[in-house]
Structures are given as structure tokens and as C-alpha cells.
Amino acid sequence: NSSSNLPERDNYVNNGFGYVKNPHLDLLSEDILYHFDLGTRTHDLPSMFGDVKFVCVGGSPNRMRDFAIFIYQELGLDGDGSDITDICAGTDRYSMYKAGPVLSISHGMGIPSISIMLHELIKLLHHAKCRDVTIIRIGTSGGIGIEPGTVVITDIAVDAFFRPQFEQVILDKVVIRNTQLDQKLAESLLHCSKEIDDFPSIIGHTMCTYDFYEGQGRLDGALCSFSKEEKCEYLQRAYIAGVRNIEMESSVFAAMCHLCGLKAAVVCVTLLDRLQGDQITHSHSVLKEFQKRPQKLISSFIKKQLHT
Ligand code: R2B
Ligand code: URA
């Protein structure tokens, strides 16, 4: 029933190989990746990106630049990486840096922002003929019942009702998508973090919301219509459902990567325990050190992968 709003399952045509599943793309004489300021006519994407094996994405442009410089140095590439330049300098929507086989890209905040970035990134990987790419979101989050600074490796992303799914509206239909992440990759990342042993890390469900304030049950937004008791009851239920942290991109990230056949992981540090409060009160330097934790883990994981 095409006029109903009942959830549907996806039905995609594979383009034969690679990550995109869109028959219309083959008909384009040129594909402009508008928000990256890149295109198939203006840029030689296979020579620019053909060797990419790891893509790391995170919200903030500066953090993703820092990560690119860090991984550049960790991989022992020529120089110190400080002259690394933004490949998307022609636009201020997203920033992109390349350090050998690692691409580091910012995605902004929230589902719509990361979703646009992922469409263009996945097409970029397709046009560049990349193979066997692993993609990891490194980010921040609010923890539930765990020590601030804990790194949570997501096994599955859930919505605000704790359902392991993402609802994408397409034309006037709601399409339900699977938000399962790669379990083997999550286990390897946990194993790797236990080897570093600098900070606590766990595997758990990640709740993905459409908002930072009301959407995450905060009492400190410009609007709030619920009591502290109602907030705590909701977060307790989330904990019982297996949720260990809350952020704003994991569900669409998991869903798109799953559909496109990209091996994907979400690794977020928690900045606070939401059972204790809503405001992020740690000092700038503590927060900086927390945000470095997923970077350390991913860098150690990538180094291990490249050397085996
Ligand atoms: C985590 O942190 C941001 C909000 O502060 C958001 O992008 C997210 O997922
Ligand atoms: N990011 C979020 O989305 N929520 C938090 O509580 C902290 C960071």
C-alpha cells in the first residue's frame, strides 16, 4: 500500500561492486560532491583517494584535524604532519584530511548533518574505487551509570524508544533500517583498548537522539516539561535496556554503513554521567584528554591492522 505510512524494508539494487546502491548514479556524466567541493570531472578521485583503507569521522573540524596530524605521526609518515591541508577547503561545511591510508572527516552535529556527509563520502569511495574500507566514528557522548571518561564501543545503536532501528523517511514512507554494527570489529577494538589500558572501555548500546536537550532528557535546556524524577526514570529504563551512552549520529551512521556494506564502528568517550547531572562541568583540559581517548584507541588499532 504505497499511500500508507507503514514502515517498509529497504529494497536496493546493487551497482555490481562497491559501496553505492543507486542505479541512477551510473547515468550521471559528472557527479558533484557539493558539500565536499569535489567532483568526478574536476578531481582525479582514484588517484587522490584510491589507497584509503580507514575513514575516521567525528563532529568537530578541529578535532578531526588534530586526529589527522596525530595518526600521521603515529604511522611514521614523512614530516610531522603539521602542514596537512583541508581537502574540502573550498567549502566550510565539512573538513577532510588525509594521512596515508587514513581519511579524517568532520560531520557536524546530528543525524541530518552526518547523513549528508556519508552520502558524499560513500560516493567518493565508490568513484575512487576503494576496497575493504573500515569506517569509525570517534566522538563524545553522555554516559549512563558509568564513570565519565569511559570509552563506549557501540554494539548496536538504538532510538529514543530503545529500539535497534533507524527510521528514514523516503518520499512519504517511513523506512525502517537496521542499526547493527560490526561485532567482530567492536570486539577487536575492545581488545585493543584493554592493551592500551589507559582508560576504562566497555561495549554497550548507544542511544541516538535528535536533540541534545529535551531529546536527551536534560533539565537544563531553554524548554523542559518533565520532572527530575521522570528524567531519572527514563534514563534508568535506558540503562536496563542496555544503553550505556547517548549521542546524536550513531543510528544513521550504522544504518547507512550496514546497507552500503562498509565495516563500521562507533567509539565515543563519555563526558559526564547523566544519572548525576546534565551540565558538562569538567575543565577544558580534562575534556581535551577525554576526547583524545577514542583517538588513541583508533590509532593503535589502525597501526596494528596495517602491520599485520
Ligand atoms: C555528541 O556531541 C555532540 C553534541 O554535543 C553531538 O554531535 C554528539 O553526537
Ligand atoms: N554529546 C551528547 O550528545 N550528549 C552528551 O551528553 C554529551 C555529548
Side-chain angles (χ1 to χ4, degrees):
N1 181 355
S2 62
S3 63
S4 90
N5 258 348
L6 283 179
E8 304 219 340
R9 289 278 158 188
D10 284 310
N11 181 18
Y12 282 107
V13 178
N14 207 322
N15 289 45
F17 62 91
Y19 300 119
V20 301
K21 294 187 168 52
N22 175 4
H24 304 284
L25 268 190
D26 297 338
L27 308 174
L28 290 180
S29 58
E30 173 181 18
D31 189 11
I32 297 169
L33 308 176
Y34 169 65
H35 303 86
F36 286 165
D37 195 32
L38 295 172
T40 51
R41 282 242 177 115
T42 45
H43 298 81
D44 182 353
L45 300 177
S47 79
M48 289 173 75
F49 300 104
D51 62 339
V52 168
K53 291 293 175 202
F54 296 92
V55 180
C56 298
V57 303
S60 131
N62 279 328
R63 183 153 44 80
M64 296 322 288
R65 181 174 189 275
D66 290 348
F67 175 71
I69 295 172
F70 176 59
I71 191 91
Y72 194 99
Q73 293 167 348
E74 289 288 304
L75 293 179
L77 301 173
D78 283 346
D80 64 1
S82 59
D83 55 352
I84 211 159
T85 55
D86 183 359
I87 299 167
C88 298
T91 163
D92 55 9
R93 296 298 187 183
Y94 304 109
S95 293
M96 183 189 290
Y97 300 92
K98 190 171 178 296
V102 182
L103 205 56
S104 177
I105 314 171
S106 70
H107 57 58
M109 285 192 284
I111 289 170
S113 183
I114 194 174
S115 159
I116 295 165
M117 191 284 285
L118 286 172
H119 275 281
E120 295 183 14
L121 168 66
I122 294 166
K123 292 199 295 172
L124 183 154
L125 297 174
H126 169 76
H127 293 310
K129 301 190 168 31
C130 295
R131 295 285 178 277
D132 304 316
V133 175
T134 297
I135 178 165
I136 304 172
R137 160 164 150 73
I138 48 176
T140 58
S141 61
I144 305 183
I146 55 178
E147 188 191 330
T150 302
V151 170
V152 179
I153 302 161
T154 307
D155 53 1
I156 196 158
V158 301
D159 65 11
F161 308 93
F162 322 135
R163 297 175 303 194
Q165 63 182 50
F166 172 67
E167 292 184 351
Q168 174 73 54
V169 178
I170 303 177
L171 305 184
D172 59 355
K173 298 190 195 72
V174 178
V175 176
I176 306 278
R177 292 181 169 168
N178 183 323
T179 52
Q180 181 76 53
L181 288 148
D182 191 293
Q183 298 306 289
K184 265 206 205 135
L185 177 58
E187 294 289 345
S188 314
L189 288 167
L190 184 70
H191 183 77
C192 203
S193 73
K194 298 301 171 197
E195 284 178 355
I196 307 177
D197 201 28
D198 275 359
F199 45 80
S201 53
I202 56 168
I203 290 185
H205 300 351
T206 295
M207 179 160 79
C208 182
T209 67
Y210 286 90
D211 171 49
F212 184 83
Y213 289 99
E214 291 177 287
Q216 294 186 5
R218 277 189 156 80
L219 300 166
D220 63 342
L223 292 170
C224 185
S225 57
F226 47 86
S227 67
K228 186 173 179 186
E229 289 66 39
E230 286 171 312
K231 165 203 155 175
C232 289
E233 189 268 335
Y234 176 66
L235 293 181
Q236 291 288 358
R237 274 196 290 126
Y239 186 89
I240 292 165
V243 176
R244 292 296 175 269
N245 66 339
I246 314 175
E247 47 76 273
M248 299 177 59
E249 293 86 14
S250 58
S251 61
V252 73
F253 172 84
M256 288 182 72
C257 294
H258 184 80
L259 276 171
C260 294
L262 271 168
K263 205 189 257 196
V266 175
V267 177
C268 291
V269 71
T270 60
L271 303 182
L272 77 169
D273 179 0
R274 290 298 316 289
L275 298 179
Q276 307 298 324
D278 295 333
Q279 300 239 318
I280 296 167
T281 52
H282 282 295
S283 68
H284 190 73
S285 64
V286 168
L287 293 176
K288 264 211 120 148
E289 193 276 319
F290 281 179
Q291 293 185 36
K292 192 87 198 186
R293 292 177 176 190
Q295 300 189 18
K296 277 192 196 162
L297 168 52
I298 297 317
S299 141
S300 142
F301 173 77
I302 291 177
K303 278 198 289 183
K304 258 176 57 173
Q305 294 286 303
L306 290 174
H307 295 137
T308 52

